[in-house]
Amino acid sequence: MAEWLQKVRKGYGKKLASLHTWNGWIVVVLAFTGLILFQGLWRGILGEGRVVIRYIHIVVGIASLVPVVYYLLLAGKHWKQLRGKTAQRVNVIIVLALLVGWLLSGLLLWQFRAVGPLWSNNALVVHDLLTWVGLPYIIYHSVTRLKWLKEPHRRTVKTGRDGEGVTPHPASNPAAVMSRSSFIKTAIGAGIAITVGPSFLQWLGNQLSAGTDYDAAVATDANKLFPAPAPLPASMPPIGGGSKGSFRIYTVTPIPKFDNSTFSFKVDGLVNKKLQWNWEQFVALKREVQVSDFHCVTGWSVYNNTWEGIKLKDFLAMAGVQPGAKTVKFYSGDGVYTDALTLEQANMDDILVAVMHDGKPIPSDLGGPVRLVVPKMYTYKSVKWLNRIELIDGDHIGYWEQRGYSNDAWV
Ligand SMILES: Nc1nc2c(c(=O)[nH]1)N[C@H]1C(S)=C(S)[C@@H](COP(=O)(O)O)O[C@H]1N2
Ligand SMILES: [Mo]
């Protein structure tokens, strides 16, 4: 055997134990940071902190390779030791498979740019699925192995043999219908299932169906704007054939809502004519229909969206851009989110100020009544609740760009 390997295996028992502890802590950190990243709620609360959390998640995730490799060096010996202990062998394989699966899918998500949307979409599904299945498994595994849960006769084994001063715990009687410990284990398992189950099923439903969450969002639309926009023939039925995939609802503020008295849309800054519309005027503007894919940098996409709206380029032409203007800045009606395009980018033919998706008004959750759609760029550029377009002479760094996203958002 190679000398270095012998060195690695020296003090094997202790090493294995500390490896287990280290690995446990790594999983705790990854679970915490990962759940925060997954939970939309934290986006607004954390803001900039979210980028730090993401960084920690990636670094610790990559670092988790160390205990895996280290374990593999010890694995041969450990495996022999586990001869006949099938449950423990299965556990080792499950945990290893989880770690390697998380690591590989995580690397693809981290390198989303290099691998492209299709790979990162699938990586995200795998990463999420492993989490839904693996995290409850690991929590169960950790909780049920706590000392106080061990069978009472196992706990007392050191104090003396049964009948010699130590009265066996009644529940340790193998004839009992269900021992204390397996009762507690079942209760813990049920507790985890009840806590995690509903969100897991919802996630699963979203993966399997196309856009049901969109229908739910339409049903709970908080906006009250009349008249509703009437879809063009190309929108109803949607020429894209209906979108594939589901949107994750992202916001950095509570979801804003609008009615006819609070809605307004304006174009101002370095323009020849400042423009402003109320809702009745805005729905009367000439709209176009177009189909595009929607890619978020966090790895999910929605394909074949049929959007209906006014071309951004038409707004620029209506207002008349002054020669000094360099940047087009977009404001969200949430009062916080902004983003920007160069004037040249803003003149691309496929950028829409959208009011409808697949023939229906865009619901409040998904940025309605009006959202920007920039098909060629990652969708942090697609500002939700868009209510103002300003032409400026300087640069503007958008909300997520200030917090670490690349200003270059080309897909
Ligand atoms: N006002 C506002 N616009 C926004 C965001 C946001 O948080 N607030 N998130 C952006 C990001 S990162 C993405 S991926 C898309 C998500 O759109 P959805 O919530 O409709 O799925 O909106 C973009 N526009
Ligand atoms: Mo995003």
Side-chain angles (χ1 to χ4, degrees):
M1 194 189 299
E3 206 175 311
W4 64 270
L5 195 56
Q6 276 178 0
K7 241 187 217 152
V8 169
R9 290 190 179 168
K10 214 163 137 199
Y12 159 86
K14 250 198 199 145
K15 279 185 177 164
L16 205 61
S18 73
L19 196 62
H20 192 249
T21 312
W22 269 102
N23 202 31
W25 282 112
I26 285 179
V27 170
V28 168
V29 172
L30 289 175
F32 255 101
T33 51
L35 290 176
I36 288 173
L37 290 176
F38 178 78
Q39 248 297 314
L41 170 76
W42 289 95
R43 298 195 134 230
I45 300 173
L46 285 171
E48 198 145 354
R50 195 177 170 277
V51 175
V52 179
I53 301 258
R54 182 169 171 272
Y55 182 77
I56 296 174
H57 189 79
I58 292 172
V59 171
V60 175
I62 294 171
S64 73
L65 187 62
V66 176
V68 170
V69 169
Y70 202 86
Y71 174 77
L72 290 177
L73 295 173
L74 305 172
K77 192 163 175 189
H78 189 217
W79 203 245
K80 275 184 211 145
Q81 216 176 40
L82 293 183
R83 201 190 311 257
K85 299 183 179 164
T86 318
Q88 290 196 40
R89 280 190 168 185
V90 170
N91 179 60
V92 166
I93 290 178
I94 291 178
V95 172
L96 273 180
L98 284 171
L99 290 175
V100 171
W102 269 318
L103 192 67
L104 291 180
S105 54
L107 286 174
L108 291 175
L109 285 171
W110 174 42
Q111 291 302 324
F112 69 92
R113 264 238 145 105
V115 301
L118 202 61
W119 279 90
S120 55
N121 291 174
N122 290 315
L124 185 64
V125 173
V126 170
H127 212 73
D128 284 353
L129 185 65
L130 290 176
T131 305
W132 285 115
V133 178
L135 204 56
Y137 176 85
I138 288 178
I139 291 171
Y140 178 82
H141 168 85
S142 323
V143 174
T144 54
R145 282 172 50 135
L146 292 174
K147 294 252 165 16
W148 58 268
L149 269 179
K150 289 264 156 73
E151 295 279 0
H153 68 268
R154 284 221 246 157
R155 279 191 291 163
T156 53
V157 78
K158 276 196 186 126
T159 30
R161 278 182 288 135
D162 287 354
E164 279 186 10
V166 180
T167 322
H169 193 285
S172 71
N173 172 9
V177 181
M178 200 185 219
S179 70
R180 168 183 168 278
S181 113
S182 58
F183 172 75
I184 294 177
K185 280 184 186 175
T186 310
I188 291 170
I192 295 174
I194 289 169
T195 321
V196 179
S199 352
F200 172 57
L201 290 179
Q202 197 187 356
W203 175 85
L204 198 65
N206 282 345
Q207 302 306 309
L208 297 176
S209 67
T212 42
D213 60 338
Y214 201 97
D215 294 337
V218 169
T220 57
D221 187 359
N223 289 328
K224 302 231 160 5
L225 291 155
F226 304 99
L232 291 167
S235 262
M236 196 67 127
I239 46 170
S243 59
K244 302 248 162 352
S246 40
F247 292 89
R248 297 189 178 196
I249 297 165
Y250 283 172
T251 183
V252 295
T253 64
I255 306 255
K257 55 180 181 207
F258 301 88
D259 60 32
N260 289 54
S261 70
T262 55
F263 177 88
S264 83
F265 192 95
K266 62 181 169 208
V267 182
D268 61 2
L270 299 172
V271 290
N272 297 329
K273 201 162 79 185
K274 295 189 162 77
L275 301 170
Q276 181 160 352
W277 295 265
N278 64 24
W279 178 255
E280 290 86 340
Q281 297 162 332
F282 193 84
V283 277
L285 294 172
K286 182 174 152 292
R287 296 191 295 268
E288 324 253 335
V289 176
Q290 114 202 334
V291 179
S292 65
D293 298 335
F294 191 96
H295 303 295
C296 172
V297 283
T298 59
W300 54 272
S301 301
V302 181
Y303 296 89
N304 299 332
N305 301 285
T306 302
W307 297 105
E308 179 176 325
I310 304 104
K311 283 190 180 180
L312 176 61
K313 183 163 119 159
D314 291 350
F315 281 111
L316 299 181
M318 279 187 264
V321 178
Q322 291 183 358
K326 202 179 126 200
T327 303
V328 184
K329 179 175 174 186
F330 304 98
Y331 292 81
S332 168
D334 65 11
V336 173
Y337 200 91
T338 59
D339 216 316
L341 295 171
T342 65
L343 191 53
E344 197 194 348
Q345 292 168 346
N347 271 303
M348 284 190 291
D349 201 45
D350 58 357
I351 301 178
L352 271 196
V353 173
V355 295
M356 306 189 86
H357 174 270
D358 284 353
K360 293 180 194 126
I362 300 173
S364 50
D365 281 357
L366 293 128
V370 181
R371 87 174 292 163
L372 191 64
V373 174
V374 187
K376 292 198 180 71
M377 295 193 182
Y378 283 106
T379 46
Y380 53 88
K381 293 282 182 189
S382 293
V383 175
K384 298 169 73 170
W385 311 293
L386 182 69
N387 69 355
R388 180 179 173 202
I389 299 170
E390 187 191 20
L391 283 111
I392 57 176
D393 56 3
D395 293 328
H396 172 72
I397 309 294
Y399 183 91
W400 280 121
E401 290 88 333
Q402 277 175 34
R403 291 160 179 80
Y405 284 15
S406 170
N407 200 34
D408 163 17
W410 296 103
V411 174

